[in-house]
Amino acid sequence: MNPAQRSGRLGIGIVGAGRVGPILGAALAGAGHALVGVAAISDESRERADAILPGVPILEIPQLIERSELVILAVPESELATLVQGLADTGSWQAGQLVMHTAPGVGVGVLAPALAQGVIPLAVHPAMQFTGASVDIARLVGTWFAVTAPGPVLPIGQALVVEMGGEPVVVAENDRKAYAEAIETATSFSSAIVDQATSLLSGIGVPAPGLVLGPLVRSAVENALHRARGDDTGTHFDSIGG
């Protein structure tokens, strides 16, 4: 089968029960896929997995990969390369298996050891700040996801995003660092400005400064995004970079 024509229900395994992995898993389960398990180490991650994915088995990573048609690697970017290489060294990856990581700053190159064992590599990052709570599942709807993959399998990554309710935007392999910098700039700057403004209002005795600033911040951000889109707010961009 041509990978780009793959369809139907997938058995999905999630490595990492932080704020992102369980939410993506729940969204894909809602689209009809089957969750075969989640790898969670800490007590906090196990509790989150139980809350977001009730009834989904908690498995050891090798066992999870053995059972999964799609493996979601929702681990910190700093740990990703070591994890992929370690599993390659033990021969854990399976030919034809979909492997998708969620790190913003790297593309599919980090999956090279798994690719050498025949997997189908995908790099898919949701441009959203996660809370780790079930409310995030609904917030995925309309969220943009950066998708990086080899040309023949790019439609698979895009289709998975659509199934989660998101909008796929293609980011070239060499542009992932710039993409990650843009995401980090937007989130850290927004948080810092809101924290500073609420502190100033608290200092002069304004009650519930967050409620006071909410409409202002939302309207200011919407106006800035409107300017960034230009006069034609209906313009649809389906790729970034070359």
Side-chain angles (χ1 to χ4, degrees):
M1 173 185 286
N2 185 326
Q5 297 175 332
R6 180 188 291 261
S7 62
R9 193 169 90 152
L10 295 171
I12 299 174
I14 304 165
V15 179
R19 295 182 178 182
V20 178
I23 299 299
L24 300 188
L28 288 169
H33 297 288
L35 299 182
V36 301
V38 57
I41 298 175
S42 69
D43 291 340
E44 181 182 359
S45 64
R46 287 172 178 267
E47 291 174 3
R48 182 179 293 113
D50 287 339
I52 304 298
L53 306 173
V56 176
I58 295 178
L59 303 175
E60 298 294 328
I61 294 177
Q63 184 183 25
L64 181 143
I65 291 176
E66 181 182 1
R67 298 182 181 184
S68 302
E69 296 168 287
L70 166 61
V71 178
I72 298 177
L73 301 177
V75 300
E77 189 170 316
S78 59
E79 301 174 10
L80 183 59
T82 300
L83 174 63
V84 174
Q85 184 63 64
L87 291 167
D89 291 342
T90 58
S92 297
W93 301 115
Q94 303 175 63
Q97 186 174 52
L98 294 165
V99 179
M100 180 181 88
H101 79 73
T102 62
V106 290
V108 295
V110 72
L111 299 175
L115 179 60
Q117 295 182 353
V119 309
I120 299 171
L122 305 168
V124 177
H125 176 263
M128 187 182 100
Q129 196 165 36
F130 286 75
T131 66
S134 58
V135 65
D136 290 340
I137 301 171
R139 292 173 61 203
L140 286 177
V141 177
T143 290
W144 290 87
F145 288 64
V147 181
T148 305
V153 299
L154 186 60
I156 298 176
Q158 293 170 311
L160 289 170
V161 169
V162 171
E163 287 186 319
M164 289 184 279
E167 296 282 350
V169 56
V170 179
V171 177
E173 180 85 11
N174 292 337
D175 293 329
R176 291 287 293 208
K177 287 186 177 180
Y179 164 79
E181 183 178 355
I183 296 299
E184 175 62 24
T185 298
T187 53
S188 61
F189 182 75
S190 299
S191 296
I193 291 299
V194 171
D195 288 346
Q196 182 179 0
T198 53
S199 177
L200 289 169
L201 290 182
S202 295
I204 60 173
V206 174
L211 294 177
V212 174
L213 290 172
L216 170 64
V217 171
R218 283 189 286 271
S219 62
V221 169
E222 283 300 321
N223 288 342
L225 292 174
H226 178 77
R227 291 193 297 271
R229 288 192 295 263
D231 293 334
D232 181 9
T233 58
T235 300
H236 183 82
F237 296 94
D238 61 3
S239 65
I240 295 177

